[in-house]
Amino acid sequence: MQVVVQLPDEIAKEIGTDAEIQRRVLEAVALEGYRGGRLTSGQVAELLGLSRWQAEEFLDAHGVKQAYTIEMLEEDRRTLAQLSDR
């Protein structure tokens, strides 16, 4: 999908070049999507062309705490139990 955003020239000049503006818009969409629970960290990574770890660093650098649910905790506990059985 392609989205077109029009900015007044004066504002666009303050934000940066076309490439910088495009990147900042993508980053803003990624951050808000993650904050709102609409995107996972994996989807943030895909959207921004980052590795999973880079996406975690990106989110952390922008003050977005990773959601850690009860389900994630239970999955981690099962994984640890399987590893300790080996």
Side-chain angles (χ1 to χ4, degrees), residues 9 11 22 33-34 36 39 41 48 57 61 69 71 76 79 86:
D9 290 338
I11 293 173
Q22 289 176 13
Y34 186 79
L39 295 177
S41 59
L48 299 179
E57 290 173 0
T69 64
E71 292 81 15
D76 287 346
T79 301
R86 291 182 181 179

Side-chain angles (χ1 to χ4, degrees), residues 2 5 16 18-20 22 27 34 39 41 46 55 60 67 74 82:
Q2 182 175 349
V5 177
D18 286 353
E20 291 169 332
Q22 289 176 13
E27 289 177 353
Y34 186 79
L39 295 177
S41 59
E46 182 181 352
D60 188 50
E74 291 301 323
Q82 290 173 353

Side-chain angles (χ1 to χ4, degrees), residues 1-19:
M1 172 190 285
Q2 182 175 349
V3 176
V4 177
V5 177
Q6 291 185 319
L7 300 172
D9 290 338
E10 313 80 53
I11 293 173
K13 287 177 188 175
E14 294 296 322
I15 296 174
T17 65
D18 286 353

Side-chain angles (χ1 to χ4, degrees), residues 34 65-77:
Y34 186 79
K65 302 294 181 202
Q66 180 182 14
Y68 194 73
T69 64
I70 294 294
E71 292 81 15
M72 294 166 99
L73 173 63
E74 291 301 323
E75 182 179 344
D76 287 346
R77 292 177 76 189

